[in-house]
């Protein structure tokens, strides 16, 4: 039985659009059956998500919370409209926005590929549900499950970028909530993020973005 805190990860893993991000999942209820049949060698309390963009998330449930470990196999910066430089890094010679292909040049190709796929998913939904219908009050996401799955994919991608060489931290902002991602603070911010996603799932369709 998985911890209730891991429900957003289970939601993410069961969405068809999430398969492009995931290489394998272990100890997350029965979600692994849809993705891989590798035998699980981790302890029963540890959930492992290995992504296709060179990032591995391990969460061990403890009586008083979770312990989070994040690793990358290769350690080869951050920054479309979804990536912005920190205010203190902007000056008359450096603009606030930056191109993903430039910022991800030193990362494995899969990072840029999956980042672009993540952005394209939102852009496609926006065009289909808002631009094409001219209903600018319509939500971009069809339901909370789709929203949470997209949020989780972005969270995993953001952490992969944080683990890149020369990256100090990233502020990940799905919706109106900010999460400061930096090495050494993985457990606290991940627990907060997961609890917030559980809260979104409980809201139902009300207030969908």
């Amino acid at each position: 039985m998985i911890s209730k805190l891991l429900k957003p990860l289970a939601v993410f893993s069961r969405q068809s659009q999430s398969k492009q991000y995931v290489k394998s999942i272990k100890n997350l209820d029965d979600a692994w059956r849809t993705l891989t049949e590798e035998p699980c060698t981790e302890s029963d309390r540890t959930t492992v998500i290995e992504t296709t963009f060179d990032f591995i998330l391990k969460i061990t449930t403890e009586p008083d919370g979770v312990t989070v470990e994040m690793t990358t196999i290769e350690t080869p910066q951050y920054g479309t409209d979804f990536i912005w430089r920190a205010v203190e890094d902007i000056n008359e010679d450096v603009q606030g926005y930056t191109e993903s292909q430039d910022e991800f040049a030193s990362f494995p190709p899969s990072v840029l590929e999956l980042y672009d796929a993540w952005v394209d998913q939102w852009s496609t939904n926006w065009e289909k549900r808002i631009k094409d219908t001219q209903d600018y009050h319509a939500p971009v996401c069809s339901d909370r499950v789709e929203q949470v799955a997209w949020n989780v994919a972005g969270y995993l991608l953001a952490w992969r970028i944080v683990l890149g060489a020369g990256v100090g931290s990233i502020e990940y902002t799905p919706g109106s909530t900010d999460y400061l991602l930096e090495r050494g603070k993985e457990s606290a911010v991940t627990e907060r993020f997961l609890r917030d996603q559980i809260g979104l799932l409980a809201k139902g369709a009300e207030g969908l973005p």
Side-chain angles (χ1 to χ4, degrees):
M1 181 66 67
I2 63 171
S3 165
K4 291 182 179 179
L5 188 63
L6 302 185
K7 185 176 180 180
L9 298 180
V11 167
F12 161 75
S13 71
R14 292 178 180 133
Q15 298 306 298
S16 59
Q17 66 266 30
S18 297
K19 292 184 179 181
Q20 62 188 325
Y21 304 113
V22 178
K23 183 179 293 183
S24 67
I25 295 179
K26 300 172 183 177
N27 277 358
L28 186 61
D29 201 23
D30 61 353
W32 62 272
R33 292 194 179 95
T34 65
L35 298 165
T36 180
E37 293 188 1
E38 293 182 17
C40 182
T41 58
E42 299 293 324
S43 74
D44 289 340
R45 294 184 297 106
T46 300
T47 293
V48 182
I49 297 180
E50 183 178 359
T51 72
T52 53
F53 46 89
D54 185 39
F55 173 75
I56 300 172
L57 170 68
K58 292 184 180 182
I59 299 181
T60 301
T61 56
E62 308 287 0
D64 57 348
V66 296
T67 299
V68 178
E69 179 184 351
M70 299 175 178
T71 57
T72 175
I73 300 170
E74 178 179 337
T75 309
Q77 276 181 42
Y78 77 91
T80 105
D81 290 339
F82 282 76
I83 303 179
W84 295 83
R85 292 187 176 93
V87 174
E88 58 269 25
D89 294 332
I90 301 172
N91 55 50
E92 59 183 18
D93 298 319
V94 179
Q95 301 182 68
Y97 69 90
T98 181
E99 297 293 339
S100 57
Q101 59 265 35
D102 295 333
E103 296 300 330
F104 297 154
S106 63
F107 285 81
S110 59
V111 176
L112 176 59
E113 178 185 346
L114 273 302
Y115 169 80
D116 284 344
W118 180 71
V119 172
D120 287 346
Q121 182 185 342
W122 182 273
S123 300
T124 299
N125 285 349
W126 187 87
E127 289 192 8
K128 180 174 65 176
R129 295 169 183 157
I130 297 177
K131 181 181 178 181
D132 292 350
T133 64
Q134 294 295 295
D135 181 2
Y136 291 95
H137 297 289
V140 175
C141 298
S142 61
D143 54 32
R144 288 295 179 190
V145 168
E146 183 179 38
Q147 180 192 7
V148 168
W150 190 82
N151 288 351
V152 170
Y155 187 78
L156 297 176
L157 280 162
W159 268 111
R160 173 59 187 92
I161 298 165
V162 172
L163 297 180
V167 180
S169 64
I170 284 181
E171 191 171 78
Y172 176 57
T173 309
S176 59
T177 305
D178 298 331
Y179 302 94
L180 183 62
L181 313 186
E182 52 186 331
R183 301 186 195 206
K185 299 182 179 180
E186 296 89 347
S187 296
V189 70
T190 297
E191 182 168 350
R192 176 178 164 234
F193 172 76
L194 292 174
R195 291 192 185 282
D196 287 347
Q197 301 313 297
I198 291 171
L200 287 177
L201 290 169
K203 283 185 176 181
E206 181 182 355
L208 270 170

